Amino acid sequence: MSLIEVLGNGTRLEILRELSREPKYVSELAEAVGMDGTSAVHHLSTLEDADLVEWYMRGNRKYYRLTSSLELRIAPPPERTFVLQADDLDASDPSDQ
């Protein structure tokens, strides 16, 4: 799936917005976005396959965090530029904190 296809889903964008604030576990994300846990896991799996999120364990909870910085730039004519770019974030591990 292309990056544009992954980000073409409003629910996945909501999940990314929530994770841009802080890492969260699945139940927190599901509640924040307004969906059930099964749907959240499906969308998180898609984001993980696209290398946009990763997970780590803290106790018995599975937390998700962003792994990439996303930039979307769109310019009107005459440039008609459309750039969607994902860059890796620094590899700091909040589970070590």
Side-chain angles (χ1 to χ4, degrees):
M1 187 177 286
S2 75
L3 188 57
I4 290 177
E5 291 171 316
V6 170
L7 298 176
N9 180 286
T11 302
R12 287 193 283 270
L13 291 175
E14 288 288 324
I15 289 171
L16 291 172
R17 184 175 64 182
E18 288 296 322
L19 292 176
S20 72
R21 296 178 179 131
E22 64 183 340
K24 293 187 176 185
Y25 57 94
V26 176
S27 297
E28 285 180 310
L29 282 169
E31 184 177 327
V33 178
M35 69 173 65
D36 62 78
T38 303
S39 295
V41 168
H42 166 74
H43 288 295
L44 286 164
S45 176
T46 301
L47 293 168
E48 190 175 1
D49 289 346
D51 294 325
L52 297 175
V53 301
E54 65 184 6
W55 60 270
Y56 63 93
M57 296 297 292
R58 182 176 290 164
N60 63 348
R61 290 188 175 161
K62 189 174 187 178
Y63 281 79
Y64 284 85
R65 64 178 167 211
L66 295 179
T67 59
S68 298
S69 172
L70 298 172
E71 181 178 356
L72 174 62
R73 289 182 282 146
I74 303 173
E79 295 86 13
R80 294 188 180 190
T81 304
F82 182 88
V83 178
L84 178 59
Q85 180 177 328
D87 295 321
D88 289 339
L89 292 176
D90 185 17
S92 61
D93 186 354
S95 64
D96 291 338
Q97 298 176 358

